Amino acid sequence: MTGKVLVAPVTASPTKPLTPSHLKLLLSADVLHRATSAFTDVTLLYHPLAHAGSRQVAGFWEYLDRRHPDVAFDALGEAGIGELYVQFQRSPRAPAAAIAPYVRRAAGGWAHPASLRVLEIWRRHYRDLGMTDAGLTDPRPPVLPAGDLVRLLTRHHVCVDGRPFGAPVFLDATAAGLPLRTAVTADGHANYLMSTLGELVPRLPGHDHVVLLHDVELRTDYRIIAHVLSVLGARVTRLEFPRVPIGGIARAARHGDWRGYTLDDYAGPLRAEHGAAAVALGLRCYLVAGLSRTTPDSFSRRHLHRWVRRAGRLLDEVGGPPPAAAEVAAAARRLAGPAPYADPHRCLTTLFARDPVSPAAALLAAVVGDPVLV
């Protein structure tokens, strides 16, 4: 009997456009969540303001108020706000004291107008792609306060608290052969590891398995997170996803390589030609199944177009009434095999197999749900 599964992809903070790399991971999480929910109880934990108190986000908000106080953010698109984020990443860092008020306000649920505008745009993207909205603009669910988290982890010997000596707080996974990792700086600034664990740890008692999805570049950090969760009694699986290169280069969004590669840049024209449903399915298939899991080729509009055409043909072939829930559950369970969750890559490659293990309608409902079929 499969137990309750907690799916936790690494969070993309609303400070820039959703890049192909972001979408590869988010669509993978969406397929995993949808297919797994067909046969067991599963929770998707994803709140885009989870790391609002980090220097990356709170520091950006402080920079905007200091350097661009008169900008009307509700008139900007995600690319315009992303350009300001690139400028912020290239500017000198503000001291922790300047960022501290933003961290305190974020802890109370406040978000800067720039990020609220990005979230508004992201909700449209989620709707257009048929993605599960796990709470893009909902209040952040309760998290374990940093002080309580440090005390808990220290008791379990996976944390070194240097605060009494004016030193940082370190996550300690040396028992697993991993290096010490700063979680809170000496001046009291917590990074995204603390906010990630603050969300995950309180939810462990209600789940039997945790699936972490993250970039390859975050491998060491997520090995540390997985070790900490395991010490606390969780069964953990990590799924790594390489960033999608653009022009042969795979870099973080802070460098601005997404210019010309936002969803509106490439998906808008395809929707006009092939329809929203074909684009929603084709983009999933291209990013999750069409690109290699280890050494992906660069993002290609030509290859995306080919996948959208294939998706359109599949949607045309699938007709009649929606499949029964039991048929969808059986299809998803076969895709999962002995694992407690359905692997997203296997789900989408199986969908286009010459000899599918289940009827196409059932597989399609399992991996993308009804919205794309409408």
Side-chain angles (χ1 to χ4, degrees), residues 39-264:
F39 62 84
T40 194
D41 193 354
V42 59
T43 301
L44 177 62
L45 179 62
Y46 189 83
H47 194 273
L49 291 171
H51 309 313
S54 69
R55 186 178 294 273
Q56 179 184 12
V57 181
F60 178 47
W61 293 349
E62 186 278 336
Y63 168 84
L64 290 175
D65 286 350
R66 174 167 46 86
R67 295 292 301 275
H68 302 280
D70 300 323
V71 171
F73 295 103
D74 57 356
L76 290 180
E78 58 182 343
I81 293 172
E83 292 293 351
L84 295 174
Y85 182 69
V86 172
Q87 294 174 23
F88 157 70
Q89 290 289 349
R90 294 172 178 170
S91 68
R93 291 290 181 264
I99 300 174
Y102 292 85
V103 175
R104 289 193 293 269
R105 293 181 72 186
W110 176 82
H112 193 278
S115 287
L116 291 177
R117 172 59 176 156
V118 172
L119 288 173
E120 178 187 346
I121 296 168
W122 285 5
R123 288 197 75 169
R124 172 171 59 83
H125 292 329
Y126 269 57
R127 184 173 61 252
D128 290 344
L129 296 178
M131 293 170 62
T132 302
D133 183 347
L136 287 182
T137 54
D138 294 345
R140 185 183 177 190
V143 299
L144 189 63
D148 294 345
L149 179 61
V150 169
R151 285 188 288 273
L152 173 66
L153 300 184
T154 301
R155 289 199 304 270
H156 285 82
H157 309 292
V158 287
C159 183
V160 177
D161 186 1
R163 291 176 300 175
F165 311 101
V169 174
F170 297 96
L171 293 179
D172 183 1
T174 53
L178 298 165
L180 289 175
R181 176 67 161 91
T182 301
V184 183
T185 62
D187 59 8
H189 202 93
N191 62 25
Y192 85 100
L193 293 173
M194 288 295 288
S195 47
T196 298
L197 289 168
E199 284 199 314
L200 288 169
V201 170
R203 289 159 179 78
L204 296 183
H207 296 87
D208 301 285
H209 200 97
V210 180
V211 184
L212 303 173
L213 298 88
H214 61 88
D215 304 336
V216 171
E217 289 77 8
L218 299 179
R219 176 181 298 161
T220 299
D221 279 355
Y222 266 80
R223 287 182 65 194
I224 293 172
I225 291 171
H227 174 76
V228 170
L229 297 180
S230 297
V231 168
L232 295 179
R235 288 182 291 170
V236 184
T237 298
R238 291 184 305 106
L239 298 181
E240 294 185 351
F241 297 85
R243 287 178 179 155
V244 179
I246 293 176
I249 301 174
R251 295 200 295 178
R254 64 178 177 271
H255 298 289
D257 294 346
W258 41 261
R259 296 182 184 96
Y261 289 87
T262 67
L263 258 173
D264 288 336

Side-chain angles (χ1 to χ4, degrees), residues 242-305:
R243 287 178 179 155
V244 179
I246 293 176
I249 301 174
R251 295 200 295 178
R254 64 178 177 271
H255 298 289
D257 294 346
W258 41 261
R259 296 182 184 96
Y261 289 87
T262 67
L263 258 173
D264 288 336
D265 288 327
Y266 56 80
L270 288 174
R271 289 192 189 101
E273 182 178 354
H274 298 280
V279 173
L281 178 58
L283 187 61
R284 288 169 185 256
C285 295
Y286 172 55
L287 291 177
V288 180
L291 294 176
S292 167
R293 303 186 77 170
T294 54
T295 55
D297 296 327
S298 290
F299 185 90
S300 165
R301 284 181 171 83
R302 179 172 62 86
H303 289 153
L304 172 59
H305 198 170

